[in-house]
């Protein structure tokens, strides 16, 4: 039970908080609700067009609490209270929930989940592009258990394809779109055990260049995995950790170039200046590797050497959009996850806001008539915010009261576990004595861990465009690529597409709506 003293303290704080004048008038809320109702009624007319383009935005670790906190942060960055702000994803008309568990894990990792939402098959923790018959780190369980992704299905259908990420391009999320690996950590052959190498397994960077040789756009970090062992990095010449890692002596950049047709325009860039100097309309293939490992956090980004996620997305769409058959683009805001693992909520939330900006950028460059856009997360984190904070309270600020147990203040943002656990003099650290607004402040956690863990609850799926209404309830995570493929008439389930191509209307029509009601398992 909350004590009377606490209730009074909260009441006093809330009464003194800023309430926008328009919100004091009941008419404001009634008009807003009526407009929302009108918008909802328009959704009775379903968009059953064929999706020429499919864009998937994956916020790694972007659970619902992260979405809400990012919304508030976005508003506060524009000098508003924050709670009333709309993220770009908030404007999408359809929302579902995704069950994120791996076949062998209640709380999942990013590899098994990536296999689910890209390949349409749930898999074991730590494995990418393979079924649950593959055991992690066991190379000899890989062969025969490979599963292909929607990126491959799109490429096979003649579409252009692209990968954009703020992590390494051979990290868990992007790798599931092109690789088949028993271990997500096999970034290059340097990270593989001798047994796996002797059994013929290939590292993920190698597979990026060889499995789907004509990926039109690849952008992110991971430069060092493309070069021979100890090759000096072009940007960080004195940093030994930035040097090449490959034991096989291969230069995968040269191999990438060699696979491209001579009459096509292929460009490899490693910095923002060179990227923005390109004319995307004359680029056929683009490889951009802007860091040796993961890209820098948005708050730390050098805007001369490293492009933002929004800039990469804009360039990618301009390159891919030239294909009259359309494109598939995977975009990962991958360092949301890293910020949370480090207990650095400010880094994580700014990453989420930047991804939302990229979503808006993509929306401005495409049409809901022919582009299906899906925004989701692979998993959540044990990240929360609360403490009866008043309206407009800084998302990184203190709760309006002290603990009624140890009499110390606490921040609204907390973690269930992680590196923010601090004990000073046998007691919980007094956060008023530290700079809790610092970019790298590690929010307090209940349990000490070097790295904060994922959360196991469902994550949101936001969708707009053709067939977006098929994402409508609580789904298994592996359902998502089946919907995207169905909407785009790619992959195995294309029976409904014949009527669409023979009709003068761009809509697949009643047959497609009928098939939409059938269990997808019976169609694949």
């Amino acid at each position: 039970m909350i004590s009377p003293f606490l209730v009074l303290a909260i009441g006093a704080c809330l009464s003194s908080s800023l309430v926008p004048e328009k919100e004091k008038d009941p008419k404001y809320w009634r008009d807003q609700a009526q407009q929302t109702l009108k918008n909802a009624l328009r959704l009775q007319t379903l968009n059953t067009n064929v999706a020429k383009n499919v864009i998937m935005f994956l916020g790694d670790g972007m659970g619902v609490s992260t979405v809400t906190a990012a919304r508030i942060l976005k508003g506060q960055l524009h000098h508003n209270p924050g709670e009333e702000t709309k993220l770009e994803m908030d404007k999408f008309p359809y929302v579902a929930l995704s069950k994120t568990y791996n076949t062998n894990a209640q709380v999942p990792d990013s590899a098994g989940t990536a296999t689910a939402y890209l390949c349409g098959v749930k898999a074991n923790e730590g494995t990418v592009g393979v079924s649950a018959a593959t055991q992690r780190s066991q190379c000899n369980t890989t062969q025969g258990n490979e599963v292909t992704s929607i990126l491959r299905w799109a490429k096979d259908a003649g579409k252009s394809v692209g990968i954009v990420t703020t992590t390494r391009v051979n990290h868990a999320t992007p790798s599931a779109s092109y690789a088949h690996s028993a271990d997500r950590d096999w970034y290059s052959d340097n990270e593989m055990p001798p047994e796996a190498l002797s059994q013929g397994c290939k590292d993920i960077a190698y597979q990026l260049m060889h499995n789907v040789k004509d990926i039109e756009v690849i952008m992110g970090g991971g430069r060092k995995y493309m070069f021979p062992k100890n090759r000096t990095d072009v940007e960080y010449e004195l940093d030994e950790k930035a040097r090449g890692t490959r034991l096989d002596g291969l230069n995968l950049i040269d191999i990438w170039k060699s696979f491209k047709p001579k009459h096509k325009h292929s460009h490899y860039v490693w910095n923002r200046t060179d990227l923005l100097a390109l004319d995307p309309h004359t680029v056929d293939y683009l490889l951009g590797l802007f860091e040796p490992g993961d890209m820098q956090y948005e708050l730390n980004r050098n805007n001369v050497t490293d492009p933002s996620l929004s800039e990469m997305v804009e360039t990618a769409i301009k390159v891919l959009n030239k294909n009259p058959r359309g494109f598939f683009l995977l975009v990962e805001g991958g360092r949301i996850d890293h910020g949370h693992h480090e207990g650095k909520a400010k880094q994580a939330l700014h990453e989420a806001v930047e991804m939302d900006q990229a979503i808006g950028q993509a929306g401005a460059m495409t049409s809901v008539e022919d582009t299906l856009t899906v925004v989701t997360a692979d998993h959540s984190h044990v990240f929360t915010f609360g403490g009866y904070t008043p309206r407009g309270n800084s998302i990184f600020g203190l709760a309006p009261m002290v603990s009624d147990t140890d009499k110390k203040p606490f921040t609204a943002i907390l973690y269930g576990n992680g590196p923010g656990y601090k004990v000073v003099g046998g007691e919980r650290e007094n956060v008023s004595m530290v700079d809790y607004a610092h970019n790298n402040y590690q929010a307090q956690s209940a349990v000490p861990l070097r790295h904060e863990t994922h959360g196991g609850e469902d994550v949101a799926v936001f969708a707009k465009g053709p067939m977006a209404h098929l994402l409508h309830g609580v789904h298994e995570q592996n359902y998502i690529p089946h919907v995207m493929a169905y909407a785009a008439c790619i992959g195995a389930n294309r029976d409904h597409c014949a009527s669409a191509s023979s009709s003068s209307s761009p809509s697949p029509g009643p047959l497609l709506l009928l098939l939409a009601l059938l269990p997808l398992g019976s169609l694949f």
Side-chain angles (χ1 to χ4, degrees):
M1 179 179 291
I2 300 175
S3 71
F5 172 78
L6 187 57
V7 171
L8 288 173
I10 295 171
C13 188
L14 293 178
S15 65
S16 63
S17 66
L18 174 65
V19 177
E21 197 62 32
K22 64 184 179 182
E23 294 185 11
K24 297 177 182 178
D25 186 348
K27 185 175 183 299
Y28 167 79
W29 297 107
R30 291 167 183 154
D31 289 349
Q32 182 194 74
Q34 288 299 315
Q35 185 57 54
T36 302
L37 179 60
K38 288 179 181 178
N39 294 341
L41 288 169
R42 293 193 192 105
L43 298 178
Q44 293 181 101
T45 303
L46 300 178
N47 180 348
T48 58
N49 295 342
V50 173
K52 174 185 175 183
N53 311 312
V54 177
I55 305 176
M56 183 177 201
F57 282 91
L58 192 286
D60 199 314
M62 191 181 69
V64 172
S65 57
T66 298
V67 172
T68 306
R71 178 189 304 135
I72 293 172
L73 173 59
K74 179 181 178 180
Q76 292 181 350
L77 290 172
H78 289 88
H79 310 292
N80 295 316
E83 298 83 1
E84 71 297 325
T85 300
K86 282 191 175 183
L87 293 167
E88 293 297 328
M89 66 188 92
D90 291 340
K91 302 172 187 176
F92 286 25
Y94 298 99
V95 181
L97 289 176
S98 169
K99 297 162 67 175
T100 65
Y101 67 92
N102 296 148
T103 47
N104 65 341
Q106 185 178 78
V107 178
D109 90 313
S110 296
T113 52
T115 304
Y117 61 73
L118 289 172
C119 303
V121 174
K122 287 223 171 190
N124 290 330
E125 172 270 338
T127 65
V128 290
V130 290
S131 73
T134 297
Q135 300 173 38
R136 183 169 188 175
S137 302
Q138 299 299 312
C139 170
N140 60 3
T141 64
T142 304
Q143 189 171 2
N145 297 318
E146 300 90 344
V147 291
T148 57
S149 77
I150 187 170
L151 181 141
R152 168 78 79 168
W153 310 339
K155 174 53 69 173
D156 289 346
K159 295 183 183 293
S160 294
V161 296
I163 298 167
V164 173
T165 179
T166 52
T167 66
R168 288 153 276 185
V169 294
N170 49 349
H171 207 254
T173 295
S175 67
S177 68
Y178 58 82
H180 312 287
S181 179
D183 200 308
R184 58 175 288 178
D185 294 332
W186 292 349
Y187 299 118
S188 73
D189 56 352
N190 184 66
E191 289 76 41
M192 296 178 67
E195 181 184 44
L197 291 171
S198 66
Q199 291 173 347
C201 280
K202 297 296 184 182
D203 64 88
I204 296 171
Y206 181 94
Q207 293 189 54
L208 172 60
M209 300 306 174
H210 291 82
N211 286 7
V212 187
K213 296 179 182 178
D214 52 353
I215 298 175
E216 281 81 359
V217 175
I218 304 169
M219 282 192 282
R223 201 163 53 220
K224 67 181 180 179
Y225 303 107
M226 310 299 164
F227 293 103
K229 185 77 171 178
N230 292 323
R231 170 75 66 87
T232 300
D233 184 71
V234 65
E235 184 178 2
Y236 304 99
E237 296 181 359
L238 302 179
D239 187 353
E240 293 185 5
K241 293 182 179 179
R243 292 178 180 174
T245 65
R246 303 200 62 80
L247 300 177
D248 57 16
L250 293 179
N251 182 325
L252 293 182
I253 306 301
D254 288 344
I255 289 176
W256 176 83
K257 292 176 181 177
S258 72
F259 286 154
K260 302 301 173 283
K262 299 298 182 184
H263 65 284
K264 295 290 187 179
H265 298 283
S266 306
H267 295 271
Y268 165 65
V269 295
W270 63 267
N271 63 75
R272 177 178 182 267
T273 302
D274 288 348
L275 176 69
L276 299 185
L278 293 174
D279 178 1
H281 303 291
T282 64
V283 175
D284 296 308
Y285 296 97
L286 174 59
L287 174 61
L289 300 175
F290 304 104
E291 286 289 331
D294 300 317
M295 294 187 69
Q296 299 292 329
Y297 284 122
E298 179 62 20
L299 284 177
N300 303 348
R301 181 171 62 87
N302 181 326
N303 59 18
V304 173
T305 56
D306 291 350
S308 67
L309 184 59
S310 298
E311 290 169 337
M312 291 193 290
V313 167
E314 179 179 3
T315 300
I317 292 176
K318 287 178 178 177
V319 172
L320 299 173
N321 221 6
K322 299 191 295 294
N323 188 339
R325 294 187 179 182
F327 64 84
F328 169 77
L329 175 62
L330 171 64
V331 181
E332 183 196 19
R335 303 221 65 197
I336 301 169
D337 177 71
H338 296 174
H340 281 322
H341 278 308
E342 295 175 2
K344 299 174 181 177
K346 193 166 190 176
Q347 297 284 10
L349 295 184
H350 276 271
E351 293 295 306
V353 170
E354 172 57 26
M355 192 183 86
D356 194 67
Q357 185 170 325
I359 294 168
Q361 180 67 51
M365 299 176 70
T366 55
S367 168
V368 292
E369 294 304 311
D370 67 359
T371 302
L372 171 63
T373 305
V374 176
V375 180
T376 189
D378 46 358
H379 55 75
S380 185
H381 276 267
V382 292
F383 162 85
T384 187
F385 70 100
Y388 302 107
T389 47
R391 177 74 179 273
N393 197 73
S394 168
I395 191 64
F396 305 115
L398 296 173
M401 81 287 284
V402 298
S403 165
D404 58 3
T405 301
D406 66 11
K407 310 304 180 185
K408 290 184 174 65
F410 59 96
T411 55
I413 286 176
L414 296 168
Y415 286 96
N417 57 50
Y421 181 91
K422 296 286 193 310
V423 174
V424 178
E427 297 182 342
R428 181 174 67 91
E429 181 180 56
N430 188 334
V431 295
S432 65
M433 305 300 290
V434 299
D435 182 7
Y436 52 80
H438 192 277
N439 290 351
N440 291 322
Y441 171 71
Q442 293 177 308
Q444 291 186 338
S445 66
V447 175
L449 286 177
R450 291 181 180 178
H451 300 282
E452 177 263 6
T453 72
H454 296 168
E457 72 271 24
D458 299 348
V459 296
V461 185
F462 305 85
K464 68 175 181 178
M467 305 307 294
H469 57 279
L470 296 179
L471 292 161
H472 60 88
V474 180
H475 304 298
E476 294 286 0
Q477 193 169 47
N478 67 292
Y479 170 71
I480 297 171
H482 291 270
V483 171
M484 295 190 292
Y486 186 83
C489 285
I490 60 177
N493 183 6
R494 292 180 291 177
D495 292 344
H496 60 287
C497 303
S499 61
S501 61
S502 62
S503 170
S504 58
S505 166
S507 169
L511 177 60
L512 187 143
L513 292 177
L514 175 63
L515 289 173
L517 299 176
L518 295 175
L520 282 173
S522 67
L523 297 169
F524 280 80

